[in-house]
Amino acid sequence: MRTAPSPSVLQPFVFAGAGWQAAEPAAPSSPAALTLLTWNVWFGALKSRARGDALLAELSRRSPDVIALQEVTRDLLAAILDAPWARAEYQVSDVDGSTFEQYGVVLLSRIPMRRLVVLNLPTEMGRCLLAAELSCGLTVATSHLESTSFRASTRVMQLGIIQPYLARSSPDVVFAGDMNFTHDAAAESAALDPTFVDVWPALRGDDPGYTVDTSINSMRYQVDARHSQRRIDRVFLRSRAWSARAAELVGSTPLDPEGTFISDHFGIQVELAHHGAGAVRPADGSGG
């Protein structure tokens, strides 16, 4: 186990001319509504080409303003960077896999990034926090917290670093990704800062919003051989200026008769709006 160092500043990239280049510093822009999609896209080899193609098509179709992906492999990153829609519209946090080991987290944003940092976490799995301050004033951060039920104490340590860091960094923060714990996980839930609002239950109430659900995703069961229904992929919002106004699961339909899905997780797409853009604020509290 290693302790987390200070954050390292990264350079976002934009496609220009014949290739991906370092983006110019972005000027502040007026806040407005935006969409955020977070998705653990599964590094598994099972039909990886077909699943990757379907992922790229779904991202292109949905065209969210900000995309936060977990378990991105170098092959998938290369495919994203080759996609015409990514080249035409987005800045990206990594162009060669240098920010991760076997797989990692990647941010894409149509809204220019003013500052991009990576914060290494206490981990035995190469986990980190990736955070981008956008030109509209909102900071978007993503992580893939330590996996497996036996590592609750590591997730508690990771949350104990991530939440204070984000709270110090910006008054307006979205923290999204694969948290690897459910609302009833005692240790991790006790470590949650209640100023970070769990968007799904704040908007959807008793809708369970399972992002891992073997009753639907038969591919997950084929690989893991265990039935599971859990909401472990989550979006937290800490802000007085921004509110969430809609949330939905993505990738919950099979690609073929064999029951192949884009990932063994479903993604979450959230609509956010600045208060001046007609948002309805969710109730205070951390929710489920």
Side-chain angles (χ1 to χ4, degrees), residues 131-180:
E133 178 192 343
L134 306 182
S135 64
C136 64
L138 183 67
T139 292
V140 177
T142 189
S143 189
H144 182 188
L145 300 189
E146 210 82 350
S147 303
T148 81
S149 60
F150 303 105
R151 291 183 167 87
S153 62
T154 303
R155 289 189 289 275
V156 168
M157 285 191 290
Q158 291 171 341
L159 289 168
I161 293 169
I162 289 170
Q163 293 172 124
Y165 171 75
L166 292 176
R168 290 192 306 268
S169 298
S170 173
D172 304 302
V173 177
V174 179
F175 173 40
D178 182 353
M179 304 300 163
N180 264 316

Side-chain angles (χ1 to χ4, degrees), residues 229-251:
Q229 291 181 307
R230 297 180 294 157
R231 185 174 67 88
I232 59 176
D233 303 87
R234 301 163 80 171
V235 178
F236 294 97
L237 175 64
R238 183 183 189 274
S239 177
R240 292 185 178 275
W242 294 79
S243 294
R245 60 185 183 184
E248 64 175 317
L249 296 179
V250 301

Side-chain angles (χ1 to χ4, degrees), residues 17-252:
W20 289 93
Q21 302 177 11
E24 295 292 331
S29 62
S30 299
L34 63 84
T35 53
L36 164 70
L37 190 154
T38 180
W39 205 341
N40 179 326
V41 293
W42 190 39
F43 64 83
L46 179 65
K47 297 187 179 180
S48 60
R49 178 64 179 272
R51 293 190 301 104
D53 289 346
L55 171 68
L56 296 179
E58 184 69 1
L59 295 178
S60 176
R61 183 182 73 83
R62 288 183 171 271
S63 191
D65 295 301
V66 183
I67 302 168
L69 302 178
Q70 305 86 47
E71 294 199 19
V72 177
T73 63
R74 284 177 173 78
D75 285 345
L76 179 57
L77 177 60
I80 292 170
L81 297 173
D82 282 343
W85 55 266
R87 294 184 170 194
E89 300 179 27
Y90 289 87
Q91 291 186 357
V92 63
S93 60
D94 193 336
V95 294
D96 58 9
S98 60
T99 61
F100 54 83
E101 297 175 7
Q102 178 188 2
Y103 57 84
V105 293
V106 172
L107 282 172
L108 296 95
S109 180
R110 180 182 288 112
I111 303 166
M113 302 182 198
R114 298 194 68 196
R115 187 170 188 262
L116 176 66
V117 301
V118 61
L119 180 66
N120 291 324
L121 300 172
T123 181
E124 296 176 351
M125 299 180 174
R127 304 298 162 85
C128 68
L129 177 76
L130 190 62
E133 178 192 343
L134 306 182
S135 64
C136 64
L138 183 67
T139 292
V140 177
T142 189
S143 189
H144 182 188
L145 300 189
E146 210 82 350
S147 303
T148 81
S149 60
F150 303 105
R151 291 183 167 87
S153 62
T154 303
R155 289 189 289 275
V156 168
M157 285 191 290
Q158 291 171 341
L159 289 168
I161 293 169
I162 289 170
Q163 293 172 124
Y165 171 75
L166 292 176
R168 290 192 306 268
S169 298
S170 173
D172 304 302
V173 177
V174 179
F175 173 40
D178 182 353
M179 304 300 163
N180 264 316
F181 68 93
T182 60
H183 72 283
D184 56 356
E188 297 95 319
S189 295
L192 287 174
D193 177 345
T195 65
F196 285 79
V197 176
D198 191 348
V199 167
W200 186 272
L203 293 175
R204 302 290 295 258
D206 293 333
D207 184 336
Y210 298 131
T211 58
V212 171
D213 189 349
T214 55
S215 71
I216 299 172
N217 193 330
S218 55
M219 183 185 74
R220 171 88 185 201
Y221 181 75
Q222 292 168 14
V223 172
D224 199 34
R226 292 183 298 173
H227 286 294
S228 180
Q229 291 181 307
R230 297 180 294 157
R231 185 174 67 88
I232 59 176
D233 303 87
R234 301 163 80 171
V235 178
F236 294 97
L237 175 64
R238 183 183 189 274
S239 177
R240 292 185 178 275
W242 294 79
S243 294
R245 60 185 183 184
E248 64 175 317
L249 296 179
V250 301
S252 58

